Amino acid sequence: MATAQKAAAPLRRAAGPATGPRPGRRRASLVPVLLVLPYTVLLLAFGLGPAVYALWLSFTDATGGFAGVDNYARVVQDFRFPGAARHVALFVGLWLVLLVVLVVVLALLVHAVSRRWVGTALRFAYYVPGALAGASSVLLWLFLLNPVASPAAPLLRLLGYESFNDTIQPTNLPVVFALIAFWTGAGGWILVMFGALNNIPDDVMEAARIDGAGPVRIAWSIQLPLIRKWVTYMVILSLAAGTQLFVEPTLLSQASNAVVPNDYSLNQLAYQYAFSLADFNGSAAISVLLLVVSLGLSSVFVARGGLFDTDAS
């Protein structure tokens, strides 16, 4: 008997466990699923679901019948569409350039500060504007842009602006909106870039210094390439937010008695189609066009920025 048991033991080991994965391993494999599940549910409910519904609306008419590309043709031929598209393009282009250049430079400067309390104070100061909600930030900027009440009135008058309506001339609006967006969003991104810079191994930085590289050369040749993915990530999220420009021109339009038109951006134009003209199909067509442009540009940034590249690739 003892001999048989000894002979069967290797066979049992070769056959492996007879009842499948161990309970502990099975529970461990469920943890990632449980972590991803809430995000997946929200993504389906508030992301993919509305997108699919908008796509269906954009190819149907008011009765639900198939309309082909009629809705797209109608909104593109609207005399307000080219102007709104140009406004969004100018704002997004200016904002992204401002964001990438200044956020990266400010993050590098904060990272180079040797005194810990100074760096902490700067990071806190950068983050404070981002703690305000978007609408609150715009209301604050309504006072800043008014030469009558603004603490920057001497500067505004030096630039030739004597009234609020002078400051928000249509030619100034892309710059105004870019400044508002930068003021509210840059602080958080500076902290993200600061964290990315902290992940660069100290031995890499020390080796560069031993080779005689100065701060500028280290920033250009080592730090910037190693935080490139984070910069790409910032650009993609900012691009998605920028194409949805709505709150800033809407509040400025109300505060300026329609000096800023209520169809300044494509999102505002889609809102006018839906809730002023009751044309939800046209509104959905504008939304789908914005989504396609945003996804296309994001794909370019992902490909060029190597966002999903791994060390092995």
Side-chain angles (χ1 to χ4, degrees):
M1 185 65 182
T3 304
Q5 289 176 343
K6 290 180 181 179
L11 296 177
R12 287 197 297 268
R13 287 197 295 269
T19 58
R22 296 177 180 175
R25 184 176 299 175
R26 187 181 304 165
R27 285 195 297 270
S29 65
L30 289 177
V31 171
V33 177
L34 294 176
L35 291 175
V36 172
L37 185 60
Y39 171 78
T40 304
V41 172
L42 293 175
L43 177 65
L44 291 174
F46 301 106
L48 295 179
V52 172
Y53 183 58
L55 187 65
W56 178 77
L57 281 179
S58 68
F59 285 104
T60 57
D61 56 24
T63 63
F66 182 67
V69 295
D70 290 350
N71 293 316
Y72 292 94
R74 187 174 69 259
V75 298
V76 171
Q77 292 172 359
D78 189 321
F79 72 95
R80 298 170 293 180
F81 186 88
R86 184 174 63 255
H87 295 155
V88 174
L90 286 174
F91 160 68
V92 171
L94 183 61
W95 181 37
L96 290 184
V97 171
L98 196 66
L99 198 65
V100 170
V101 173
L102 292 184
V103 163
V104 171
V105 169
L106 290 173
L108 289 170
L109 290 176
V110 172
H111 188 260
V113 172
S114 57
R115 292 183 180 275
R116 186 173 181 179
W117 69 269
V118 175
T120 303
L122 287 175
R123 293 197 301 274
F124 178 75
Y126 289 147
Y127 184 73
V128 167
L132 294 175
S136 303
S137 299
V138 178
L139 291 176
L140 178 62
W141 272 86
L142 293 181
F143 291 98
L144 290 176
L145 295 173
N146 191 343
V148 177
S150 173
L155 176 61
L156 294 174
R157 292 198 175 93
L158 183 65
L159 295 174
Y161 305 130
E162 297 294 336
S163 67
F164 180 65
N165 288 347
D166 290 342
T167 310
I168 58 169
Q169 296 172 17
T171 54
N172 296 340
L173 290 179
V175 177
V176 170
F177 294 145
L179 289 175
I180 296 175
F182 180 83
W183 188 76
T184 55
W189 286 118
I190 290 173
L191 298 185
V192 171
M193 296 302 157
F194 180 81
L197 290 169
N198 281 336
N199 284 332
I200 299 176
D202 291 336
D203 54 349
V204 174
M205 302 290 288
E206 189 60 28
R209 294 190 187 96
I210 293 174
D211 288 341
V216 176
R217 181 60 184 275
I218 291 176
W220 183 258
S221 300
I222 296 178
Q223 291 174 308
L224 287 180
L226 290 178
I227 65 172
R228 184 184 62 168
K229 292 181 180 179
W230 296 100
V231 175
T232 303
Y233 180 66
M234 175 181 68
V235 170
I236 291 172
L237 291 190
S238 301
L239 172 68
T243 54
Q244 302 174 47
L245 180 67
F246 183 82
V247 174
E248 291 86 350
T250 299
L251 290 180
L252 278 184
S253 177
Q254 295 173 359
S256 65
N257 293 322
V259 172
V260 178
N262 59 7
D263 51 12
Y264 180 83
S265 70
L266 288 175
N267 241 2
Q268 285 181 291
L269 184 59
Y271 182 88
Q272 294 299 322
Y273 264 89
F275 298 106
S276 295
L277 304 175
D279 185 353
F280 292 95
N281 305 96
S283 178
I286 296 175
S287 302
V288 172
L289 288 174
L290 274 174
L291 179 63
V292 170
V293 171
S294 182
L295 287 177
L297 292 176
S298 297
S299 301
V300 173
F301 287 125
V302 168
R304 300 291 299 177
L307 188 61
F308 298 122
D309 289 350
T310 61
D311 293 338
S313 62

